[in-house]
């Protein structure tokens, strides 16, 4: 029976999403936070919070993974 054929009851069978589809949809629903919200987060140390308050833009929202990436990129910079 093909995926798009109806079953004997007349209902179209439900096909479970693949791992790749599930991962893609999970990434698209990751919550976004304002810069100020990171100050209340328990996922960052106080030093990380202070650094994020300088590095993140005021009017933009970020996911936690984006904030972690910003921190990681900043830490990799060479000291002048």
């Amino acid at each position: 029976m093909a995926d798009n054929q109806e079953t004997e009851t007349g209902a179209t069978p439900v096909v479970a999403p693949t791992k790749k589809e599930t991962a893609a949809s999970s990434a698209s629903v990751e919550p976004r936070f304002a810069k100020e919200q990171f100050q209340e987060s328990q996922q960052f140390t106080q030093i990380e919070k202070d650094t994020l308050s300088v590095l993140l833009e005021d009017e933009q929202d970020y996911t936690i993974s984006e904030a972690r990436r910003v921190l990681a990129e900043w830490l990799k910079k060479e000291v002048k």
Side-chain angles (χ1 to χ4, degrees), residues 1 3 5-8 12 17 20 24 27-28 33 35 39 41 45 48-50 52 63 68 71 75-77 80:
M1 177 182 302
D3 284 342
Q5 289 181 331
E6 292 185 2
T7 62
E8 291 176 12
T12 304
K20 188 175 185 178
S28 64
F33 303 95
K35 174 180 171 176
Q39 296 304 307
S41 174
T45 66
E48 291 172 327
K49 291 176 189 181
D50 292 344
L52 286 172
T63 63
R68 290 196 187 284
L71 280 172
L75 288 169
K76 289 180 188 176
K77 286 188 174 183
K80 293 181 180 180

Side-chain angles (χ1 to χ4, degrees), residues 32-35 37-38 57-63 66:
R32 303 184 74 79
F33 303 95
K35 174 180 171 176
Q37 291 176 291
F38 285 102
E57 300 291 326
D58 289 334
E59 302 299 320
Q60 189 171 344
D61 291 340
Y62 300 87
T63 63
E66 288 170 335

Side-chain angles (χ1 to χ4, degrees), residues 7-42:
T7 62
E8 291 176 12
T9 61
T12 304
V14 177
V15 178
T18 64
K19 274 188 176 181
K20 188 175 185 178
E21 292 170 338
T22 304
S25 66
S26 296
S28 64
V29 295
E30 190 174 357
R32 303 184 74 79
F33 303 95
K35 174 180 171 176
E36 297 79 24
Q37 291 176 291
F38 285 102
Q39 296 304 307
E40 303 299 320
S41 174
Q42 295 181 5

